[in-house]
Amino acid sequence: MPPVLCAICHTERALIKRPKNHQKLCKACFIRIFEDEVHHTITSSELFFRGERVAIGASGGKDSTVLASVLKTLNERHGYGVDLILLSIDEGIKGYRDDSLETVKRNAKQYDMPLKIVGYDELYGWTMDQVVETIGKKGNCTYCGVFRRQALDRGAKMLGIKHVVTGHNADDVAETILMNLLRGDLPRLSRSTSIVTGSDASAVKRSKPLKYAYEKEIVLYAHHKKLDYFSTECIYSPEAFRGSARSLIKSLEKVRPSAILDVVRSGEDMARLVPGATSDSCGCKGKTPSSHASADEDNVGGCGSANGQATGGEMAAMDRQLRENEVAEAANLETEITTTKTTPAPTSTSTSNGHRPDKQRIKERSKPGTPGLPIIPKQKLGTCEKCGYMSSQKLCQACMLLEGLNKNRPEISI
Amino acid sequence: MASIDTTPRKAADDSDIPNISIQVEFSGGLEMLFSSQRRHSLSLPATEQGTPITIASLINHLCNHTMKDTRKELFILDDHLRPGILVLINDADWELEGEEAYELQNGDNILFVSTLHGG
């Protein structure tokens, strides 16, 4: 086969075939277009402001390493004027995090960024090793995921930083959309599509600058830029590798590469139809206010290797909440029908406080099919009674899990 | 697309055929399936039943001979390379080179990168 030339520069040999449009590119043009597209996502969604301090959730893996590298490049090239800091979480799993933390330490030097490592032990009084010792290997991903989510926010708070960026990519988002679709959880589906979450609801805003980047291109970017990253599989969830949603996404990509971004777009479109929720598609299509997602509920993946997957344990832990959501969702759908009579069809800008009045009405109109079920508002954003972290329940998820753990703490654990 | 035959083949009929040398690399977590060794130098018969050896045969060979891990399905799924594993032939995406049908050349560098592992 004669070498194919790059579709952009027409001089160099093409080395990359882009999954989203089959474009064949040389190394230099690929790297440039990858960076330009992330820049487009950042500017069109107005992710940063000048002088903002931004923490990069860094695991030493491919996604966060590429994120750190690209953000550094773009910050310098386009003069964002943001102050970038690496923030890593140490779950306390011997033989797992040690090597990846070493990678993050090297990254900090390579990218000339300060690094802060926060441990589960100092945040929660438990390392994941101790959690597993207590509850066993089954369902421990739930603990890890809930703890991790808050850990980034708490770590950011310790640093006085109000914005955390994570390396979630298009594959991760598509995976989460599918999982939520399969669970019938539209409110969470809606939140998982947002590029920014928690901005107005909490002290710490989250965003995903790589939301539209294919995992394949992230890996190729890391390869061609010779980035130093670490890949591993969590020792407590080897089966995570075979995650069903992940396999499904990868098989779809094989048959039709555009499927991943198509799922992301479908998710965004569906999100707009979810009452009381908003989602932002790429900001250039029209700015929408960020969602009211509470950080503890925006469940984009439990842990890095098991993104968006539901293990049996996770399902059990979320069961109560899912039940409430289902009820609230059913009620919301019904409200939707009644409101369409009086108000114009909801547009992408119908957001914010449309929530509470709806609920008042819901309470008056008991749903015929479900007489026994009380209708519980699904999102009343408050703070956790115990730790003060924002939560939609009395206790935040982390404190709920900790309560159970502390009851079962083995007396011999010294 | 021809599927990858995973049944081990006897080496006897390969005896008179000249060999080619290739470099195989694993990264992105795949090295864990191959004795945690990133680089492997292989010598393979240049032809197989009269036709030049393809990447499909290489994958088959790696699965049957190089891979010590018993979880073969993490490398081969439904008789093909598992979706989510990228292949670079001399740094070029194998999708530009005919994928499994690519005929191996002496001195080729074949890189398998997993996109499936986390950080």
Side-chain angles (χ1 to χ4, degrees):
Chain A
M1 226 182 269
V4 186
L5 290 183
C6 172
I8 293 179
C9 68
H10 304 292
T11 48
E12 294 298 315
R13 182 182 165 215
L15 292 180
I16 289 104
K17 187 176 166 192
R18 302 200 72 192
K20 65 193 255 182
N21 56 12
H22 304 278
Q23 202 178 28
K24 293 162 185 168
L25 299 179
C26 72
K27 188 165 127 181
C29 290
F30 164 71
I31 285 172
R32 182 65 199 214
I33 206 168
F34 182 89
E35 290 164 352
D36 286 350
E37 287 180 2
V38 178
H39 174 61
H40 174 80
T41 305
I42 289 168
T43 51
S44 60
S45 301
E46 295 171 43
L47 288 190
F48 305 131
F49 59 84
R50 186 166 296 279
E52 188 175 20
R53 295 178 74 210
V54 177
I56 301 169
S59 66
K62 56 182 163 38
D63 302 304
S64 56
T65 302
V66 166
L67 181 63
S69 169
V70 170
L71 287 186
K72 180 183 170 63
T73 303
L74 294 178
N75 194 27
E76 287 167 4
R77 181 181 298 159
H78 299 285
Y80 293 162
V82 293
D83 198 1
L84 298 166
I85 290 142
L86 296 172
L87 175 59
S88 291
I89 305 302
D90 186 356
E91 297 89 345
I93 304 175
K94 278 212 170 55
Y96 165 61
R97 213 29 115 186
D98 311 351
D99 292 335
S100 45
L101 286 178
E102 285 310 309
T103 310
V104 179
K105 285 176 194 166
R106 286 198 304 276
N107 289 159
K109 285 203 189 100
Q110 289 153 1
Y111 305 140
D112 191 24
M113 290 178 196
L115 164 66
K116 169 79 182 170
I117 300 173
V118 193
Y120 277 10
D121 48 353
E122 58 179 306
L123 286 173
Y124 305 108
W126 288 80
T127 66
M128 274 313 291
D129 282 339
Q130 291 167 334
V131 170
V132 170
E133 218 170 272
T134 308
I135 65 153
K137 286 193 181 185
K138 214 176 166 198
N140 73 81
C141 293
T142 308
Y143 290 80
C144 198
V146 168
F147 288 169
R148 161 115 39 112
R149 191 155 181 95
Q150 290 201 4
L152 277 175
D153 287 14
R154 289 171 188 223
K157 252 184 198 166
M158 280 162 79
L159 295 170
I161 291 177
K162 295 191 169 67
H163 189 174
V164 177
V165 290
T166 56
H168 290 104
N169 58 44
D171 296 52
D172 295 329
V173 175
E175 219 172 271
T176 311
I177 288 169
L178 279 186
M179 287 310 296
N180 286 322
L181 190 67
L182 296 175
R183 287 192 197 114
D185 190 345
L186 281 173
R188 191 169 284 146
L189 182 150
S190 155
R191 290 195 296 274
S192 68
T193 61
S194 301
I195 190 160
V196 178
T197 51
S199 55
D200 43 349
S202 67
V204 179
K205 152 180 157 182
R206 294 272 196 136
S207 66
K208 312 189 258 273
L210 300 181
K211 181 190 167 189
Y212 297 107
Y214 273 75
E215 192 155 55
K216 173 179 172 177
E217 294 200 347
I218 287 171
V219 170
L220 289 177
Y221 184 89
H223 171 75
H224 289 298
K225 288 266 292 190
K226 298 191 169 42
L227 300 185
D228 181 10
Y229 73 95
F230 186 78
S231 353
T232 185
E233 208 49 46
C234 176
I235 53 171
Y236 289 134
S237 70
E239 74 271 43
F241 190 74
R242 288 191 287 270
S244 48
R246 170 143 296 219
S247 298
L248 179 56
I249 284 286
K250 294 297 179 192
S251 300
L252 285 172
E253 182 187 22
K254 183 88 195 145
V255 182
R256 202 169 72 97
S258 67
I260 289 177
L261 275 187
D262 292 342
V263 169
V264 173
R265 296 216 175 87
S266 301
E268 290 171 349
D269 287 345
M270 281 189 277
R272 273 192 281 277
L273 300 174
V274 176
T278 59
S279 171
D280 34 13
S281 57
C282 180
C284 58
K285 285 189 211 149
K287 201 60 191 89
T288 56
S290 47
S291 83
H292 279 215
S294 71
D296 64 342
E297 285 183 330
D298 186 296
N299 183 34
V300 183
C303 67
S305 56
N307 263 319
Q309 287 171 48
T311 60
E314 188 186 357
M315 292 305 276
M318 299 295 171
D319 187 56
R320 210 187 71 196
Q321 204 179 350
L322 281 173
R323 216 171 117 92
E324 292 167 6
N325 277 357
E326 269 164 33
V327 175
E329 185 193 321
N332 265 346
L333 285 175
E334 201 183 351
T335 318
E336 170 77 3
I337 297 162
T338 60
T339 50
T340 47
K341 286 178 194 161
T342 51
T343 57
T347 63
S348 58
T349 48
S350 81
T351 59
S352 58
N353 47 23
H355 225 69
R356 223 127 289 181
D358 279 0
K359 280 219 180 78
Q360 296 306 108
R361 250 172 291 156
I362 295 158
K363 278 187 179 156
E364 289 153 25
R365 312 177 26 137
S366 178
K367 205 187 170 204
T370 55
L373 288 173
I375 290 169
I376 305 155
K378 78 185 144 156
Q379 273 188 22
K380 203 171 70 203
L381 221 48
T383 48
C384 170
E385 285 182 356
K386 221 166 187 175
C387 69
Y389 189 82
M390 64 156 187
S391 168
S392 51
Q393 315 287 329
K394 258 169 76 175
L395 287 182
C396 70
Q397 285 183 329
C399 285
M400 249 162 60
L401 294 176
L402 280 173
E403 212 170 54
L405 276 177
N406 290 332
K407 270 183 207 152
N408 292 317
R409 192 187 275 276
E411 277 148 58
I412 38 143
S413 71
I414 295 163
Chain B
M1 200 167 13
S3 59
I4 297 166
D5 179 9
T6 48
T7 49
R9 204 166 281 133
K10 287 208 178 73
D13 50 358
D14 298 339
S15 51
D16 294 333
I17 302 166
N19 276 3
I20 54 168
S21 304
I22 58 165
Q23 285 287 327
V24 176
E25 267 185 82
F26 300 100
S27 78
L30 268 182
E31 58 272 38
M32 282 181 259
L33 298 179
F34 292 87
S35 322
S36 295
Q37 190 186 328
R38 191 185 155 98
R39 288 171 159 276
H40 297 252
S41 296
L42 291 184
S43 185
L44 296 169
T47 58
E48 204 177 47
Q49 285 147 12
T51 56
I53 185 169
T54 61
I55 283 229
S57 304
L58 170 67
I59 292 167
N60 168 37
H61 177 92
L62 290 172
C63 196
N64 289 324
H65 301 287
T66 316
M67 188 173 174
K68 299 284 182 284
D69 200 296
T70 53
R71 297 170 295 168
K72 306 288 184 194
E73 75 280 3
L74 299 186
F75 192 58
I76 289 186
L77 199 67
D78 299 330
D79 296 333
H80 293 286
L81 187 71
R82 190 187 170 96
I85 297 176
L86 307 181
V87 186
L88 301 186
I89 301 168
N90 303 321
D91 241 13
D93 189 339
W94 78 332
E95 290 181 34
L96 298 168
E97 306 280 347
E99 298 189 39
E100 285 174 0
Y102 172 81
E103 293 170 0
L104 292 173
Q105 313 291 316
N106 194 39
D108 272 351
N109 189 304
I110 314 291
L111 170 65
F112 295 89
V113 198
S114 173
T115 66
L116 300 163
H117 287 75

